Amino acid sequence: AQSVTQLGSHVSVSEGALVLLRCNYSSSVPPYLFWYVQYPNQGLQLLLKYTSAATLVKGINGFEAEFKKSETSFHLTKPSAHMSDAAEYFCAVTVRSGTYKYIFGTGTRLKVLA
Amino acid sequence: KAGVTQTPRYLIKTRGQQVTLSCSPISGHRSVSWYQQTPGQGLQFLFEYFSETQRNKGNFPGRFSGRQFSNSRSEMNVSTLELGDSALYLCASSLDGRSSGNTIYFGEGSWLTVV
């Protein structure tokens, strides 16, 4: 069965510093992978998704993620953190066969320090 | 283009009561799925509807039910509410949900507090 693990429920970075949020997946078949962001009192918004077209995926707000099959990872990065990036980030996986069902990680809350 | 709309946004119910939450998907989207979000459990999949049929179901008790109408709008119902049902309930829609790569778009959620 597929699953995702997000390492670190809370991450703090200084404004302008690199953002790295970790996600590892488990899937016996090629996965689709997603990153979503949730701002306070809002629903989830898609940041980016991996569908096998390219291993480096660029998303909105300057975020990108790299699919590494050998490491079963799909870490989210942003070169320079902005105060507005403070939010909770969720990694999710679906598989390419059978009925689709999103499996979400437990989330990582990002705090940006001035 | 209007996004996914959920009503009500906030509600308080008493243990033992029932509640109905509503979701209007993005125009043209035929697949609607529901999630429960709590601090301890994260996002948990409840069920997914497509063309008025439940196509997939998560591991929730039978107190949790849903339905979808011919216009793709969906409702979920929780009967005999328990304190542990307090959560943010999120609805998400996608075009047809046939492909696992379909992006799902979330509404802002309905905050349910059970007292």
Side-chain angles (χ1 to χ4, degrees):
Chain A
Q2 67 273 27
S3 66
V4 288
T5 301
Q6 291 185 242
L7 295 175
S9 57
H10 291 82
V11 170
S12 293
V13 299
S14 299
E15 192 174 20
L18 170 73
V19 175
L20 170 60
L21 305 181
R22 300 178 187 273
C23 172
N24 287 88
Y25 70 91
S26 171
S27 177
S28 58
V29 297
Y32 290 101
L33 292 159
F34 305 78
W35 275 100
Y36 281 83
V37 59
Q38 186 178 33
Y39 298 103
N41 297 319
Q42 294 187 25
L44 278 70
Q45 178 184 359
L46 179 71
L47 273 178
L48 49 83
K49 73 176 186 181
Y50 167 75
T51 59
S52 84
T55 57
L56 183 62
V57 183
K58 293 188 183 299
I60 61 172
N61 302 337
F63 284 93
E64 62 182 36
E66 185 172 9
F67 174 73
K68 292 187 177 180
K69 185 178 179 180
S70 61
E71 299 176 7
T72 62
S73 69
F74 190 58
H75 301 331
L76 182 71
T77 61
K78 181 175 181 178
S80 176
H82 192 272
M83 298 297 288
S84 61
D85 295 326
E88 189 156 22
Y89 293 79
F90 293 90
C91 183
V93 64
T94 68
V95 294
R96 298 183 192 181
S97 63
T99 57
Y100 94 95
K101 187 167 68 173
Y102 275 60
I103 305 298
F104 284 88
T106 51
T108 298
R109 188 168 295 278
L110 176 67
K111 186 175 181 179
V112 182
L113 307 170
Chain B
K1 195 173 186 181
V4 178
T5 304
Q6 291 187 246
T7 57
R9 287 296 316 279
Y10 304 92
L11 66 167
I12 300 174
K13 290 287 188 177
T14 304
R15 267 184 306 174
Q17 286 186 315
Q18 73 164 8
V19 66
T20 299
L21 308 177
S22 180
C23 172
S24 293
I26 292 172
S27 177
H29 285 193
R30 298 169 62 193
S31 170
V32 173
S33 51
W34 289 88
Y35 295 81
Q36 182 195 64
Q37 185 179 17
T38 59
Q41 298 296 319
L43 276 153
Q44 302 289 316
F45 173 77
L46 280 156
F47 27 66
E48 184 239 344
Y49 286 87
F50 177 76
S51 291
E52 302 178 64
T53 300
Q54 186 181 89
R55 195 163 59 173
N56 214 337
K57 190 177 189 302
N59 296 321
F60 279 81
R63 299 185 297 108
F64 292 81
S65 63
R67 60 178 175 167
Q68 187 180 33
F69 302 95
S70 58
N71 61 358
S72 295
R73 191 176 69 84
S74 177
E75 289 180 347
M76 68 163 283
N77 184 274
V78 188
S79 62
T80 320
L81 284 165
E82 301 176 359
L83 294 179
D85 297 332
S86 296
L88 176 64
Y89 290 87
L90 290 163
C91 171
S93 74
S94 68
L95 275 171
D96 59 20
R98 290 198 187 112
S99 164
S100 295
N102 263 342
T103 299
I104 59 175
Y105 298 87
F106 285 87
E108 293 192 321
S110 292
W111 285 95
L112 171 64
T113 300
V114 182
V115 297

